[in-house]
């Protein structure tokens, strides 16, 4: 019976203790007409069979283990040191649950506290929660927080069109029941155009850093403009880029959110990932999700505990601002281990590798006839290339050469038809890049 | 009498706020019973002065480690002052709920709603019954 | 103020690094100096230091792999190791979410099958796997109910009924969706009080009822014997029925919620379908609906785009349901959890899946029958996969459920869920799951019996517990007052 350990003899003993003749008698309260339906499922499998079935299914996918990959657009193929997976596979971490009982959960609690600390260091903020589901839902939660901080007296949310299209969709899904207006992302406006939209009714303005096109916008004066009208500046940041570029805190952000996947979490076809959420200390009581704080135990020993609990759904119920309960704890652990391993010295180097390789690839592609790289702004590890043919066609040709090409921007932006968003990370060797350039050159 | 202080001159709501009247200004706080039930109060938050409020609306919130309670006004009016000292030292509410632990002052449009609230004897009995 | 294990920032040395990185194999580009940060205040530790640090931290945790974890409503069952291996296969772990559909046919096939199997298990027409956790599934479900009414010109229906025994996520979800909660009392049987329900659905609010959320079996672990009446009353008022599927471990192949006439439910893949809880997540939600709501599902969902080709395989692809509430998460859900749930269902198959529920319910009733001799059992009936005890004794007033819980740690067990459901005073919600052996259940019973004895003879043993855990009870007031939420590096920067 698979993972059920009972012997028939034990089952009999247990039934006798309960005082029933059979297990099925325990289900009397279920209406008889509906009790014990037959299920149309495949027959059972042994562990051996299931392992080979899973292998067969996995091999029917085009993955970064078999292909050179130049696709990012919100999910990135980075190097993950072996240590990360080995720590993750410790049953003490992955088979525990929410640290409701802190005395026997100090491992999870301290690791999460360290995650919060390292996220604060990276983003330049004062406090971080233990995670949201992903970058998109983190942004959606930031909207709630901005509305709360401005006490629901403001109804305008400004989003840059250069925020990940799916994140903007998720924000709209989350807030469809509210009387608010979400504007700014329908056109092609630059940051300067967003500033024009600011007024006393604006709760927040959000931009992405680097933006969806991989570029660093000029946001030096943005925070002042946003704060002048009493609104909040939310920055959606790729944590890997923060290894090099100025922290959002330094740029005046009030809330920093984003996708933590680049730091030690595999692609996994889109999840589980990690939505990080960091904020200024003065607003910390307004945020949703778990927060770990330092305290002392009865012997005066330093220890950690979930704090600011009354914000959460299990206590505040219908008055809670979010229903989040289970978060992405294990992925926060991945990010913790990753950030600790890379540290101050390694993460910067990984960032530089990304930067150098992406710029090498961009330079070479830009030299090809028919292709042009958008070099109007500084970029990190992704850049936009206008192509001589439809992107889908190019990607099909690349695939035949063992290469997963860039993201087709025409899917989301009318004005970027035949534009490809190319991502190059530290995992892409010069050989791979040269091969990409060669195949692209043959398609001009 | 229960083990909680219940000053005779105040009016009391079932949600454990007390109300003191001075002209058309009503001062509101939470009772000794309420602070005792909440235990260590670690946070308070109020709506902004200048906000208008209807009877039955929440004017703020008080939190302990394991609980959060909304605070309700029994009168219509405008919030004219909040006790800012509590934001830094919420424990004052535990120490002196009827004095330094007051929470907001509201300029009431009509005081008659207070008549429907409990007097000290009724509130004392109400606390005992819980 | 030393702790058990130094903080990662308190170990290491300037210039140290925990990973071996390559030199650039391309010409270096010029860095945009004016845009760069000056400092990156992360730790500076070596690889072995990192390993030891996290291994030592792990050893401070209680976990399913270490011992019995009867945390009610969380279904802490064994997480099969083979599923972890499967999740790490390169074809899954290194698959980009924005790959062309043709390049992800394995993953899409898996998701399509999982959608169908989950639909079959619960009797629903269609399933979306996108929600990232149970709470997100709830949110999706309530938004679907909201939009269903809006489309029918009944936007005034904005009240969701929620029993007072509900998980906190239920009322919080309703508020998040911009709707209103109306709480319903429970009767002395632990069921929803039908008179109150009728009053709500047949009174002046009738036209405002959007639906009801209910957990089956209830959060008390009891199968709602009047569930049919509840569903009928809400449907008659024009509302839809949402089932919180947190307790699905008590229902598999026992009853299909869809056949009971529920309109929508969420699944917790990390509870019922064995995907690991991860120290707080990831979860995975999935949401199933009947015909009324299938066009409203959060997208994308997987469907067959083209029939079978020459090789006999259909082409799978993504579809956005016609009136979808929209995208609720980037990409397509927590795929890593989908594949584990898929493998889990595959192992039990058609003839085995009912055993999961049968033995989960057997284990719970066995514990109930044994423990009711020592502890107060507020609802003396057969339970589902969990049951609630009152964690206090009339003759020892100072001992509370929390003290019993803390003392259990000294006996090597994880405590049950404390103080939930809210309607039972001093609640201890106990859920053993089907994967526990009888001897461990017996050991738990013995521990609970000893604790009951200690409560009378040496109550301080409970009041000061735990005694053998890594730390003693924590000062939670201090945590809130000091509000230390992150630590800064203690090391001097290199070169200082």
């Amino acid at each position: 019976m698979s993972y059920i350990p009972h012997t028939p003899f034990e089952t009999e003993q247990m039934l006798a203790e309960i005082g029933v003749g059979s297990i099925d008698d325990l289900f009397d309260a279920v209406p008889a007409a509906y009790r014990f339906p037959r299920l149309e499922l495949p027959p059972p499998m042994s562990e051996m069979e299931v392992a080979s079935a899973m292998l067969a299914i996995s091999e029917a996918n085009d993955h970064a283990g078999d292909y050179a990959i130049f696709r990012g657009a919100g999910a990135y193929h980075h190097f993950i040191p072996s240590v990360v997976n080995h720590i993750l596979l410790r049953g003490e971490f992955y088979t525990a649950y929410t640290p409701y009982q802190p005395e026997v959960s100090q491992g999870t609690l301290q690791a999460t506290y360290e995650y919060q600390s390292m996220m604060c260091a990276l983003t330049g903020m004062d406090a971080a929660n233990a995670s949201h589901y992903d970058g998109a839902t983190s942004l959606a939660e930031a909207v709630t927080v901005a509305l709360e901080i401005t006490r629901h007296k403001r109804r305008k949310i400004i989003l840059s069109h250069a925020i990940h299209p799916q994140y903007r969709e998720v924000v709209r899904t989350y807030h469809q029941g509210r009387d608010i207006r979400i504007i700014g992302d329908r056109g092609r406006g630059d940051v300067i155009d967003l500033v024009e939209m600011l007024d006393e009714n604006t709760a927040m303005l959000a931009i992405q850093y680097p933006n969806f096109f991989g570029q660093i916008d000029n946001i030096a004066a943005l925070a002042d403009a946003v704060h002048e009208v009493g609104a909040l500046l939310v920055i959606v940041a790729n944590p890997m880029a923060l290894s090099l570029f100025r922290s959002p805190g330094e740029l005046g952000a009030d809330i920093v959110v984003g996708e933590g996947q680049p730091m030690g979490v595999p692609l996994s076809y889109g999840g589980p990932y990690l939505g990080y959420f960091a904020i200024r200390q003065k607003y910390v009581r307004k945020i949703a999700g778990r927060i770990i704080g330092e305290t002392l135990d009865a012997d005066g020993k330093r220890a950690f505990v979930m704090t600011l609990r009354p914000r959460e759904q299990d206590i505040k119920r219908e008055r809670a601002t979010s229903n989040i309960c289970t978060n992405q704890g294990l992925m926060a652990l991945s990010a913790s281990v990753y950030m600790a391993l890379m540290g101050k010295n390694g993460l910067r180097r990984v960032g530089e590798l990304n930067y150098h390789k992406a710029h090498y690839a961009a330079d070479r592609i830009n030299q090809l006839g028919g292709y042009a790289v958008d070099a109007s702004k500084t970029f990190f590890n992704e850049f936009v290339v206008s192509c001589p043919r439809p992107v889908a066609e190019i990607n099909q040709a690349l695939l035949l050469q063992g290469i997963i090409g860039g993201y087709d921007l025409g899917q989301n932006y009318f004005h970027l038809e035949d534009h490809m968003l190319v991502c190059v990370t530290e995992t892409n060797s010069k050989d791979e890049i040269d091969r990409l350039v060669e195949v692209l050159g043959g398609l001009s | 009498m229960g083990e909680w202080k219940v000053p005779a001159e105040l009016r009391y709501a079932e949600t454990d706020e007390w109300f003191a009247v001075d002209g058309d200004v009503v001062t509101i706080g939470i009772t000794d019973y309420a602070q005792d039930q909440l235990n260590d109060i670690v946070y308070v938050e109020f709506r902004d002065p200048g906000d208008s409020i209807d009877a039955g609306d929440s004017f703020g919130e008080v939190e302990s480690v394991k609980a959060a309670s909304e605070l309700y006004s029994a009168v219509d009016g405008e919030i004219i002052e909040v006790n800012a000292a509590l934001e830094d030292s919420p424990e004052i509410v535990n120490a002196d709920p009827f004095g330094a632990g007051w929470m907001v002052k509201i300029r009431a449009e009509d005081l008659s709603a207070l008549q429907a609230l409990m007097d000290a004897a009724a509130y004392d009995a109400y606390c005992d019954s819980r | 103020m030393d702790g058990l294990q130094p903080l990662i920032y308190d170990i290491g040395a300037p210039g140290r690094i925990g990973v071996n990185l390559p030199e650039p194999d391309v010409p270096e580009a010029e860095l945009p100096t004016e845009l760069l940060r000056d400092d990156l205040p992360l730790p500076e530790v070596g690889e072995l230091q990192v390993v030891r640090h996290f291994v030592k931290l792990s050893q401070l945790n209680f976990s399913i792999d270490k011992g019995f974890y009867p945390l009610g409503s969380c279904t802490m069952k064994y997480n099969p190791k083979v599923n972890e291996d499967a999740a790490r296969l390169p074809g899954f772990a290194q698959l980009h979410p924005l790959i062309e559909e043709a390049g992800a046919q394995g993953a899409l096939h898996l998701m399509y099958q999982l959608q169908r199997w989950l639909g079959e298990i619960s009797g629903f027409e269609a399933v979306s796997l996108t929600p990232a956790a149970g709470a997100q599934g709830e949110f999706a479900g309530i938004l679907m109910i909201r939009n269903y009414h809006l489309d029918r010109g009944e936007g005034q229906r904005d009240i969701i009924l929620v029993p007072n025994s509900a998980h906190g996520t239920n009322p919080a979800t309703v508020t998040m969706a911009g709707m209103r909660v109306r709480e319903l009392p429970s009767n002395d049987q632990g069921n929803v009080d039908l008179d109150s329900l009728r009053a709500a659905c047949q009174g002046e609010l009738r036209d405002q009822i959007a639906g009801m959320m209910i957990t089956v079996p209830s959060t008390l672990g009891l199968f709602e014997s009047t569930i049919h009446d509840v569903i009928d009353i809400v449907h008659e008022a024009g509302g839809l029925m949402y089932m919180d599927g947190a307790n699905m471990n008590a229902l598999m192949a026992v009853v299909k919620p869809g056949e009971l006439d529920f309109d929508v439910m969420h699944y917790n893949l990390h509870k019922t379908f064995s995907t690991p809880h991860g120290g707080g997540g990831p979860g995975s939600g999935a949401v199933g609906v009947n015909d009324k709501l299938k066009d409203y599902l959060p997208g994308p969902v997987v469907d067959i785009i083209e029939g079978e080709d020459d090789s006999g395989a259909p082409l799978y692809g993504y579809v956005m349901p016609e009136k979808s509430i929209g995208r609720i998460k980037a990409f397509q859900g927590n795929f890593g959890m989908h594949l584990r749930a898929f493998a889990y269902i595959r192992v039990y198959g058609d003839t085995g899946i009912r055993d999961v529920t049968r033995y989960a319910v057997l284990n719970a009733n066995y514990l109930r029958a044994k423990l009711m001799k020592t502890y107060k059992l507020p609802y003396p009936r057969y339970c589902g996969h969990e049951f609630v005890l009152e964690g206090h004794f009339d003759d020892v007033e100072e001992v509370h459920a929390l003290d019993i819980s803390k003392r259990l740690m000294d006996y090597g067990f994880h405590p049950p869920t404390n103080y939930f459901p809210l309607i039972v005073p001093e609640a201890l919600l106990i859920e053993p799951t089907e994967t526990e052996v009888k001897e461990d259940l017996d050991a738990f019973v013995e521990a609970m019996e000893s604790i009951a004895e200690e409560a009378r003879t040496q109550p301080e043993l409970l009041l000061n517990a735990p005694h053998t855990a890594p730390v003693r009870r924590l000062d939670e007031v201090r945590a809130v007052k000091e509000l230390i939420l992150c630590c800064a590096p203690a090391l001097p920067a290199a070169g200082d």
Side-chain angles (χ1 to χ4, degrees), chain A residues 151 153 285-286 308-311 315-316 319, chain B residues 43 45-48 51 61 64-65 68 70:
Chain A
R151 301 195 169 206
K153 290 174 181 170
R285 287 176 180 277
K286 297 295 178 196
L308 298 176
R309 291 275 292 128
R311 298 166 299 115
I315 294 179
K316 216 166 194 178
R319 290 185 295 113
Chain B
Y43 182 66
E45 183 184 273
F46 306 124
R47 285 173 56 178
D48 301 325
D51 281 4
E61 192 167 44
S64 64
V65 175
E70 294 276 335

Coordinates of all heavy atoms in Angstrom, one line a residue, chain A residues 151 153 285-286 308-311 315-316 319, chain B residues 43 45-48 51 61 64-65 68 70:
Chain A
R151 N -4.0 55.1 3.4 CA -5.3 55.0 4.1 C -6.5 55.0 3.2 O -7.6 55.5 3.6 CB -5.4 56.1 5.2 CG -4.3 56.1 6.2 CD -4.5 56.9 7.4 NE -3.5 56.6 8.4 CZ -3.7 56.8 9.7 NH1 -4.9 57.2 10.2 NH2 -2.8 56.5 10.6
K153 N -7.3 56.6 0.9 CA -7.8 57.9 0.4 C -7.4 58.2 -1.0 O -7.8 59.2 -1.6 CB -7.3 59.0 1.4 CG -7.9 58.9 2.8 CD -7.3 59.9 3.7 CE -8.0 59.7 5.1 NZ -7.3 60.5 6.1
R285 N 4.6 47.5 9.6 CA 3.3 47.0 10.1 C 2.2 46.8 9.1 O 1.2 46.2 9.3 CB 2.8 47.8 11.3 CG 3.6 47.7 12.5 CD 3.2 48.6 13.6 NE 4.0 48.5 14.7 CZ 3.8 47.5 15.7 NH1 2.8 46.7 15.5 NH2 4.6 47.4 16.7
K286 N 2.5 47.4 7.9 CA 1.4 47.4 6.9 C 1.6 46.2 6.0 O 0.8 46.0 5.1 CB 1.5 48.7 6.1 CG 1.2 49.9 6.9 CD -0.2 49.9 7.4 CE -0.5 51.1 8.2 NZ -1.8 50.9 9.0
L308 N 4.9 40.4 14.8 CA 3.9 41.3 14.2 C 2.7 40.3 13.7 O 2.1 40.6 12.7 CB 4.4 42.1 13.1 CG 5.5 43.1 13.5 CD1 6.0 43.9 12.2 CD2 4.9 44.1 14.5
R309 N 2.5 39.3 14.5 CA 1.5 38.3 14.1 C 0.1 38.8 13.9 O -0.6 38.3 13.0 CB 1.5 37.2 15.2 CG 2.7 36.3 15.1 CD 2.7 35.2 14.1 NE 1.7 34.2 14.4 CZ 0.8 33.8 13.6 NH1 0.7 34.3 12.4 NH2 0.0 32.8 13.9
P310 N -0.4 39.8 14.7 CA -1.8 40.2 14.5 C -2.1 40.7 13.1 O -3.3 40.9 12.8 CB -2.0 41.3 15.6 CG -1.0 41.0 16.6 CD 0.2 40.5 15.8
R311 N -1.2 41.0 12.3 CA -1.5 41.4 10.9 C -2.0 40.3 10.1 O -2.7 40.5 9.1 CB -0.2 41.8 10.2 CG 0.6 43.0 10.7 CD 1.9 43.1 10.1 NE 2.7 41.9 10.4 CZ 3.1 40.9 9.5 NH1 2.9 41.1 8.2 NH2 3.7 39.9 9.9
I315 N -5.2 35.5 12.7 CA -5.6 36.3 13.8 C -6.6 37.4 13.4 O -7.7 37.5 14.0 CB -4.4 36.9 14.5 CG1 -3.5 35.8 15.1 CG2 -4.9 37.9 15.6 CD1 -2.3 36.3 15.8
K316 N -6.3 38.1 12.3 CA -7.1 39.2 12.0 C -8.3 38.9 11.1 O -9.2 39.7 10.9 CB -6.3 40.3 11.3 CG -6.7 41.7 11.6 CD -5.6 42.6 11.2 CE -5.8 44.0 11.8 NZ -4.7 44.9 11.4
R319 N -10.4 41.2 8.7 CA -9.8 42.5 8.7 C -8.3 42.5 8.2 O -7.7 43.5 8.1 CB -9.9 43.1 10.1 CG -11.3 43.5 10.5 CD -11.4 44.2 11.8 NE -11.0 43.4 12.9 CZ -9.9 43.6 13.6 NH1 -9.1 44.6 13.4 NH2 -9.7 42.7 14.6
Chain B
Y43 N 1.0 48.1 20.2 CA 0.8 48.9 19.1 C -0.6 49.6 19.1 O -1.5 48.9 19.4 CB 1.0 48.1 17.8 CG 0.9 48.9 16.5 CD1 1.9 49.9 16.2 CD2 -0.1 48.7 15.6 CE1 1.8 50.7 15.0 CE2 -0.2 49.5 14.4 CZ 0.7 50.4 14.2 OH 0.7 51.1 13.0
E45 N -3.0 52.4 16.6 CA -3.0 53.2 15.4 C -4.4 53.9 15.3 O -5.4 53.2 15.5 CB -2.8 52.3 14.1 CG -2.7 53.1 12.9 CD -2.6 52.2 11.7 OE1 -1.5 51.9 11.3 OE2 -3.6 51.8 11.1
F46 N -4.4 55.2 14.9 CA -5.7 55.9 14.8 C -5.8 56.5 13.5 O -4.9 56.7 12.7 CB -5.7 57.0 15.9 CG -5.4 56.5 17.3 CD1 -4.4 57.1 18.0 CD2 -6.2 55.5 17.8 CE1 -4.1 56.6 19.3 CE2 -5.9 55.0 19.1 CZ -4.8 55.6 19.8
R47 N -7.1 56.8 13.1 CA -7.3 57.6 11.9 C -6.8 59.0 12.1 O -6.5 59.4 13.2 CB -8.8 57.5 11.6 CG -9.2 56.1 11.0 CD -10.7 56.0 10.8 NE -11.3 57.0 9.9 CZ -12.6 57.1 9.6 NH1 -13.4 56.1 10.0 NH2 -13.0 58.0 8.8
D48 N -6.8 59.7 11.0 CA -6.2 61.1 11.1 C -7.2 62.1 11.7 O -8.4 62.0 11.5 CB -5.9 61.5 9.6 CG -4.9 60.6 8.9 OD1 -4.1 60.1 9.6 OD2 -5.1 60.4 7.7
D51 N -10.6 63.6 10.1 CA -11.5 62.7 9.5 C -12.8 62.7 10.2 O -12.9 62.9 11.4 CB -10.9 61.2 9.7 CG -9.8 60.9 8.7 OD1 -9.4 61.8 7.9 OD2 -9.3 59.8 8.7
E61 N -7.1 51.1 15.9 CA -6.8 49.7 16.2 C -5.8 49.6 17.3 O -4.9 50.4 17.4 CB -6.2 49.1 14.9 CG -6.2 47.6 14.9 CD -5.9 47.1 13.5 OE1 -5.1 47.6 12.8 OE2 -6.6 46.1 13.2
S64 N -2.0 43.6 20.6 CA -1.1 42.9 21.6 C -0.3 41.9 20.7 O -0.4 41.9 19.5 CB -1.9 42.2 22.7 OG -2.7 41.2 22.1
V65 N 0.4 41.1 21.4 CA 1.2 40.1 20.7 C 0.4 39.2 19.8 O 0.7 38.8 18.7 CB 2.2 39.3 21.6 CG1 2.9 38.2 20.9 CG2 3.1 40.3 22.3
A68 N -5.6 41.5 17.8 CA -5.8 42.9 17.3 C -7.2 43.2 17.4 O -8.1 42.4 17.1 CB -5.4 42.9 15.8
E70 N -10.3 46.3 16.8 CA -10.7 47.5 16.2 C -11.3 48.4 17.4 O -11.8 47.8 18.4 CB -11.8 47.3 15.2 CG -11.4 46.6 14.0 CD -10.8 47.5 12.9 OE1 -11.1 48.7 12.9 OE2 -10.0 47.0 12.1

